[in-house]
Amino acid sequence: MCNWSLLFTMFRSLNTRLLISYILVILVCLTLVGMGLFLFVRASALWNRPTHQRLEEAERETMQLLLQGEPLRELTRDQVQGFLIQAATEHRVRILLLDNRGTVRFDTDGKWIGQDLQTLRPQPQNPPLQRSQGTFTAPDGRQWLFIAQVLPGIEGQRQTLVFTSRPIRLLALAWFADNLMRPLVQAGIIALVLSILLALLIRRSVSKPLKRVASAAEAIARGESGTRAPVSGPTEVRALARSFNQMADQVEAAQQSQRDFVANVSHELKTPLTSIQGFSQALLNGTAATPGSTARAARVIHTEADRMRRMVDELLTLARFDAGQMELAHASVEIGPLLQSCVEKLAPQARAAQVTLELDAPGQLTITGDADRLAQVFTNLLDNGVAHTPAGGKVTVAAHRAGETAVEVTVTDTGEGIPADELSRIFERFYQVDKARSRDRKRAHERGRGAGLGLAISKEIVEAHGGTVAAESVVGLGSKFSVRLPVKKEGW
Ligand code: ADP
């Protein structure tokens, strides 16, 4: 059990996996090369040259042995067989003796005695052929290499002496084993050593940079923010390091925005709380004793408490959007009447600020959405427009169809405008353009200073309807907010 888990752990390492795959590739390659070479050897005559030489030598020496002493016809069968066994052992060949009908009379291996090997008998021709050579098919069905020699006569009979070795397939195999096996094994060993070196090299180039990414992750987990993985190694590891660094950037940005959020909320709550505390203290200890100062203290407490409530409402709305719990109605909304009611709501404020409010919306502009939430968006835009436009200025809200599938509502003012470098940030939570300016301008306003959440909420609402909101502005000339809403969001 323990050994298996050890083996499994080993196999999980990149090094072992690489090595095992290399070994498999080497084995497959060597086997394929070996098979190819074997087929080539069998098809060529490479393997039969040495065998043929051996058969020729055996033939020459046997003939010398047989013919050197007494005339052949006077040799006894036993003497001849003795010579043949001696020659066969010496030259590692097989010798057969065929009678004049082609039947095997003697076999140094003893297996084919009595078999008919007529084909090996040199054919009686004119002049009669004394010697022949080539391949023949034995009774076992296999192919053999042979040299046949006709003997004038042993014990008065004309006989054929056949020299053969082993079946061709075995000969080719033996030649292959003797001549090619060694270089193949050597090549395999060299490839193995090279593959081990290669695996080590790859390990250096892959697992080292991977380990550096892992160390960077551990460092960030320990709280060492600012740590980044070095982007090095192969493309995939570099891509991983880059993604990791991007993720680390995002995590840190998210942490920072969370910290900013808490700081902003505390700051925004602290100011009204301080006012409430101060004025309620004045009421309690009698500092605000006259009816006028009592009423003023009560008004400030009321206004500041109202501002806190609004901010908490706005935060709750944003939290619901963040949690995906904001449920929007999917009702038919007439844009014209909706804008009309928003303008009417803002009319007293505009009058007080001596700002003209204008509506330009054709009838029959209907979309699907949440009327209350959309009213919140346009009220906020109109409220901002009125708040940031000096007396004598104008705020216009206009609606028109934008293509077949969308409606665009624009809120344009002739106010102070927004500096270009701040324009991209006004939709961020708590972002306020030049806080002092906002405060002064809105202090004159009935509803008081906002917390910089209005546009962030408007953007969430518009995007939840599948739309977009954009701002253009020129300092000193005014601003234009464009809300583009699809007639019906996809999926609704
Ligand atoms: P707030 O509730 O504080 O007004 P918003 O999110 O509605 O916050 O607006 C963000 C900032 O954008 C504000 O601080 C304000 O200065 C600026 N702003 C918004 N609308 C306008 C406008 N029409 N003209 C000039 N400045 C604007």
Side-chain angles (χ1 to χ4, degrees):
M1 187 64 192
C2 190
N3 284 344
W4 279 114
S5 66
L6 189 72
L7 210 68
F8 186 63
T9 317
M10 264 175 63
F11 188 68
R12 283 202 309 199
S13 93
L14 181 68
N15 222 10
T16 324
R17 285 186 190 197
L18 278 175
L19 206 58
I20 289 176
S21 47
Y22 286 158
I23 291 172
L24 286 177
V25 171
I26 291 170
L27 284 179
V28 169
C29 286
L30 285 180
T31 312
L32 287 178
V33 169
M35 276 164 60
L37 279 175
F38 179 67
L39 290 177
F40 168 73
V41 165
R42 241 187 73 172
S44 73
L46 269 176
W47 54 271
N48 69 16
R49 222 164 281 149
T51 310
H52 204 264
Q53 276 170 4
R54 204 146 39 87
L55 293 181
E56 274 180 339
E57 260 170 46
E59 177 202 13
R60 199 172 46 245
E61 286 188 19
T62 311
M63 293 309 285
Q64 271 172 11
L65 266 175
L66 288 174
L67 302 174
Q68 70 185 347
E70 308 156 55
L72 204 50
R73 65 186 68 239
E74 285 169 25
L75 286 176
T76 63
R77 186 180 295 256
D78 287 348
Q79 280 174 316
V80 171
Q81 287 180 359
F83 282 141
L84 296 185
I85 290 172
Q86 190 185 334
T89 322
E90 212 171 288
H91 295 285
R92 290 180 295 117
V93 296
R94 183 172 183 177
I95 305 177
L96 312 169
L97 201 57
L98 275 55
D99 64 18
N100 60 358
R101 280 194 304 278
T103 308
V104 179
R105 288 287 159 219
F106 177 69
D107 174 5
T108 49
D109 275 17
K111 291 178 189 157
W112 290 349
I113 293 173
Q115 301 269 13
D116 180 12
L117 289 181
Q118 248 199 67
T119 43
L120 291 184
R121 202 161 45 98
Q123 296 307 307
Q125 280 170 350
N126 202 8
L129 211 59
Q130 292 301 311
R131 189 177 183 279
S132 64
Q133 64 182 47
T135 56
F136 73 98
T137 309
D140 61 6
R142 294 196 281 189
Q143 288 240 299
W144 296 66
L145 202 65
F146 81 97
I147 295 179
Q149 175 82 40
V150 175
L151 292 177
I154 301 167
E155 294 181 337
Q157 278 192 355
R158 189 167 167 276
Q159 301 199 0
T160 307
L161 198 53
V162 177
F163 297 86
T164 186
S165 172
R166 293 158 76 190
I168 285 177
R169 187 133 48 102
L170 292 183
L171 281 173
L173 212 60
W175 191 91
F176 181 83
D178 290 348
N179 295 281
L180 291 178
M181 211 53 185
R182 234 172 105 99
L184 275 178
V185 170
Q186 281 169 347
I189 291 171
I190 292 172
L192 195 69
V193 173
L194 285 179
S195 68
I196 291 173
L197 291 176
L198 208 68
L200 288 174
L201 265 175
I202 291 186
R203 190 179 85 118
R204 275 173 67 88
S205 71
V206 175
S207 65
K208 274 208 172 162
L210 274 179
K211 275 189 183 154
R212 284 201 289 263
V213 177
S215 321
E218 281 161 17
I220 289 177
R222 279 196 304 272
E224 293 168 26
S225 58
T227 313
R228 292 292 177 271
V231 180
S232 63
T235 317
E236 291 82 355
V237 182
R238 280 211 301 272
L240 172 73
R242 256 192 299 262
S243 310
F244 172 81
N245 290 343
Q246 271 170 14
M247 187 201 69
D249 287 345
Q250 277 169 6
V251 168
E252 280 179 19
Q255 284 173 339
Q256 186 57 43
S257 87
Q258 217 169 12
R259 280 194 289 270
D260 290 350
F261 182 79
V262 173
N264 279 324
V265 172
S266 328
H267 177 79
E268 293 297 331
L269 287 177
K270 218 169 120 190
T271 319
L273 271 176
T274 312
S275 294
I276 291 172
Q277 209 178 15
F279 282 96
S280 55
Q281 184 74 35
L283 286 176
L284 278 175
N285 61 22
T287 319
T290 63
S293 57
T294 310
R296 189 171 161 255
R299 204 166 42 245
V300 171
I301 290 172
H302 177 78
T303 310
E304 296 300 318
D306 188 50
R307 185 191 300 167
M308 279 170 63
R309 186 194 49 76
R310 251 190 301 118
M311 195 179 126
V312 171
D313 282 349
E314 286 175 339
L315 286 173
L316 282 175
T317 306
L318 283 173
R320 251 183 262 142
F321 270 115
D322 288 346
Q325 288 169 350
M326 177 55 83
E327 284 187 10
L328 296 178
H330 304 174
S332 180
V333 181
E334 289 281 348
I335 292 293
L338 183 87
L339 293 178
Q340 178 70 45
S341 74
C342 294
V343 166
E344 278 164 15
K345 202 154 85 189
L346 264 295
Q349 234 165 278
R351 249 194 317 277
Q354 293 166 28
V355 172
T356 314
L357 256 184
E358 252 181 39
L359 170 67
D360 172 17
Q364 293 304 309
L365 277 181
T366 312
I367 67 161
T368 301
D370 189 318
D372 289 345
R373 291 292 168 194
L374 290 173
Q376 186 179 347
V377 172
F378 301 127
T379 308
N380 181 44
L381 293 180
L382 284 169
D383 185 20
N384 279 344
V386 172
H388 294 284
T389 302
K394 187 161 95 172
V395 176
T396 313
V397 56
H400 60 268
R401 196 169 274 289
E404 284 292 292
T405 54
V407 165
E408 191 173 64
V409 178
T410 54
V411 179
T412 317
D413 65 58
T414 58
E416 62 207 22
I418 303 162
D421 55 334
E422 306 209 53
L423 198 60
S424 60
R425 302 199 59 193
I426 54 171
F427 294 100
E428 286 175 22
R429 295 173 188 190
F430 292 107
Y431 193 82
Q432 289 180 305
V433 179
D434 180 4
K435 287 199 173 189
R437 184 195 79 173
S438 297
R439 194 177 308 123
D440 292 346
R441 173 122 343 252
K442 285 200 173 178
R443 218 175 254 293
H445 240 264
E446 205 177 278
R447 98 166 159 77
R449 175 171 79 90
L453 294 172
L455 286 179
I457 292 177
S458 298
K459 188 168 184 266
E460 293 283 358
I461 294 173
V462 171
E463 286 176 356
H465 279 79
T468 54
V469 55
E472 300 159 50
S473 189
V474 178
V475 174
L477 284 183
S479 314
K480 177 176 171 187
F481 286 80
S482 311
V483 176
R484 205 183 169 89
L485 292 162
V487 170
K488 191 167 185 185
K489 185 187 170 184
E490 258 176 60
W492 277 8

